Amino acid sequence: MSVGTSSAPGAQDAGSPPAASRPPGDLADAGIDPDMLPDGLVVADEEGRVVCFNAAAERITAVRARDALGQRLEKALPLEDLEGRRWWQLTDPYGGLAIRVGQPERNLLLPGGREVLVSARYVRTRPTGPLKRLVVTLRDTEARRRTERSHAELIATVAHELRSPLTSVKGFTATLLAKWERFTDDQKRLMLETVDADADRVTRLIAELLDISRIDSGRLEVRRQPVDIGAAVGRHIQAYVAAGQPADRFLLRVQQPLPDLWADPDKIDQVLSNLLENAVRHGEGTVTIDVTATASPREGEDIGTSVTVSDEGPGIPEESMNRVFTRFWRGSKRGGTGLGLYIVKGIVEAHGGTITVGRAPGAGAEFRFTLPVSAPAYLA
C-alpha cells in the first residue's frame, strides 16, 4: 500500500470533505473514502502527526477524529503491548532501522485495557529513505474473541460428553477382565451391551465433530443419488416402533406425485434422524411428517421437495427461535450435545436447501426443510 501526501487539517478549503474522511494519496486517486473501510485507518505524516483518522478508528478507539488530527501519533493513539510497554517508543518507527517495512498484526492495548489488533506499514520515498507515511490499521478483537469462546465451549462440551461413556467403558472392561469368572452369562451380556452402547455414543460424537469441522471449513461433500424421501422417513418410523414407540404416535403424509430428488442419502438420513429424535425426545403427542412438492429454494428451478416435522409438545419459545440452529442450543435439559441442529442446517445448506423453525398448528415445534431436486450436472 502506498500513501501519498494529505493536507493538514487546518489547510482544508471551504466545501471540501473533513480531513478525517479525505483519502490520503493513492486512496484519493482510487476514489476511496477512508470512512468506507471496515477497519480502522490511521495515517501519520513524516513528522509523526496524524493526517487521517477514519470512522472505524473512531469507533474502535472511542477517540474523535477532530481530536486526533494534527496530534502526535503517540498521543492520538497511545498503545501499549500486553506487558505494559508503550508501543511507539518500543518500535520507534521514525528513528529505528531504515530497512524496516512495518509491523505485523498483533494484540495491543488501548487506554482502559481494551485489546485491539494493530498492524503498521512504513512508507518510504526510497527503500532505505526516511519515513514518508506511517499507515496503521486497527481491528476490533470481539469477533476473534467470539470464535475463541466458541472453540473453548466446543472443547469443554466434547470433553464432558466423552468422559461419561469412556469412564463406563473403562470401568466395565476392567471389571470383566479382573473378575470374569465371578459373573453369570447374563451379567456379562448386560455389561458388554452397556460397553457397546457407550462405544456407539463416542462414535456418534466423533462423527459430529468431523461434520462440524467440514461445515465450518466449507468442505462438506454431498454425493448425490436418487433418494425416495418418503421411504427414508418410513424407515426411521419403523426403527422407532421396533424400539418400543407406539405406532400411532407417528403420522406420515406423502404427497403424490413427488419430483425426483437427488441428494446424499446418508446425510439426508442424518437430517431426518435428528429432527425425528428431537420431536420424540422433546415433543409430545403425535409426531407428524409431511413430505410435499414445493417451490425450489434454488434460483432457476421451479420445484423442490419439502419435509415438515411437527409435534404437539410445548414448542420452542419465541425468544429462542433465532438460536435454534446455533452451536450448543438445547431445547430442554434432556441431554444431548446441542450440536445436532447446527449440523442439520449445514447439511441442508450444503445441498442448496433451506431450513426453518416455527410453531406447529398444535402449538408444538415445527421444522421444515426444502431441497432442490435437480440431478447432478453430469446427468443434466
Side-chain angles (χ1 to χ4, degrees):
M1 176 179 178
S2 175
V3 180
T5 305
S6 171
S7 301
Q12 76 180 50
D13 298 328
S16 63
S21 301
R22 187 185 304 141
D26 290 350
L27 288 178
D29 296 339
I32 298 174
D33 184 345
D35 289 342
M36 297 171 58
L37 299 176
D39 294 336
L41 175 67
V42 180
V43 182
D45 62 13
E46 62 271 17
E47 297 179 355
R49 296 189 179 277
V50 175
V51 295
C52 179
F53 200 94
N54 74 347
E58 285 188 298
R59 173 180 54 80
I60 293 170
T61 64
V63 174
R64 294 179 298 182
R66 64 173 177 265
D67 294 333
L69 291 168
Q71 295 281 354
R72 299 286 301 181
L73 179 62
E74 60 267 23
K75 183 177 180 181
L77 192 62
L79 296 169
E80 295 182 352
D81 67 10
L82 301 183
E83 297 177 4
R85 297 174 295 183
R86 294 183 179 180
W87 182 242
W88 300 120
Q89 292 182 6
L90 185 67
T91 57
D92 193 12
Y94 289 90
L97 292 174
I99 60 173
R100 293 181 303 172
V101 296
Q103 295 289 338
E105 187 176 72
R106 66 192 67 209
N107 275 7
L108 297 177
L109 300 176
L110 292 167
R114 181 181 177 189
E115 286 191 25
V116 62
L117 293 170
V118 181
S119 59
R121 175 70 184 273
Y122 301 164
V123 181
R124 305 179 188 277
T125 53
R126 59 183 186 278
T128 58
L131 205 60
K132 182 68 174 178
R133 288 286 187 271
L134 177 58
V135 182
V136 181
T137 59
L138 309 172
R139 294 173 57 202
D140 200 332
T141 62
E142 186 56 34
R144 178 176 291 189
R145 285 181 178 278
R146 285 196 298 268
T147 300
E148 291 172 350
R149 283 197 299 269
S150 178
H151 289 164
E153 289 173 0
L154 180 60
I155 292 170
T157 299
V158 170
H160 176 76
E161 292 294 328
L162 283 174
R163 184 183 296 114
S164 177
L166 289 178
T167 300
S168 172
V169 168
K170 176 63 177 175
F172 279 122
T173 54
T175 301
L176 285 170
L177 288 171
K179 304 176 181 179
W180 179 266
E181 301 298 335
R182 299 185 186 182
F183 296 108
T184 66
D185 288 346
D186 287 342
Q187 290 172 324
K188 293 174 184 176
R189 175 177 292 277
L190 177 61
M191 285 189 279
L192 289 174
E193 286 175 346
T194 303
V195 168
D196 184 62
D198 285 332
D200 286 342
R201 182 176 166 189
V202 172
T203 301
R204 286 195 301 271
L205 180 58
I206 292 172
E208 285 183 345
L209 293 175
L210 291 173
D211 286 336
I212 287 175
S213 173
R214 295 185 184 110
I215 290 168
D216 288 348
S217 63
R219 295 185 292 106
L220 187 66
E221 294 184 3
V222 174
R223 305 181 188 278
R224 296 183 186 272
Q225 300 176 31
V227 173
D228 185 338
I229 192 73
V233 175
R235 288 195 300 273
H236 283 278
I237 292 174
Q238 290 172 5
Y240 275 106
V241 173
Q245 289 288 335
D248 59 2
R249 187 175 182 190
F250 300 93
L251 174 60
L252 172 59
R253 299 184 296 209
V254 180
Q255 181 190 67
Q256 296 292 349
L258 286 174
D260 295 333
L261 173 65
W262 285 75
D264 187 316
D266 291 335
K267 290 182 170 56
I268 295 304
D269 271 342
Q270 193 173 351
V271 171
L272 294 173
S273 174
N274 196 289
L275 295 181
L276 286 170
E277 181 180 356
N278 279 346
V280 170
R281 178 186 293 182
H282 305 295
E284 298 172 3
T286 301
V287 176
T288 303
I289 306 98
D290 289 296
V291 183
T292 61
T294 188
S296 174
R298 183 177 292 173
E299 188 175 349
E301 295 182 8
D302 295 330
I303 196 166
T305 298
S306 282
V307 178
T308 304
V309 180
S310 57
D311 62 70
E312 298 173 343
I316 298 170
E318 192 69 30
E319 63 271 15
S320 298
M321 290 287 188
N322 61 344
R323 297 188 291 112
V324 166
F325 297 108
T326 59
R327 291 182 184 182
F328 311 119
W329 183 85
R330 295 178 177 89
S332 71
K333 297 180 180 179
R334 300 182 188 177
T337 61
L339 301 174
L341 290 175
Y342 177 82
I343 294 171
V344 163
K345 183 174 185 287
I347 291 174
V348 170
E349 291 180 347
H351 281 79
T354 59
I355 184 166
T356 59
V357 61
R359 189 166 293 279
E366 178 180 280
F367 289 88
R368 175 185 173 91
F369 69 92
T370 303
L371 302 173
V373 300
S374 59
Y378 66 86
L379 293 177

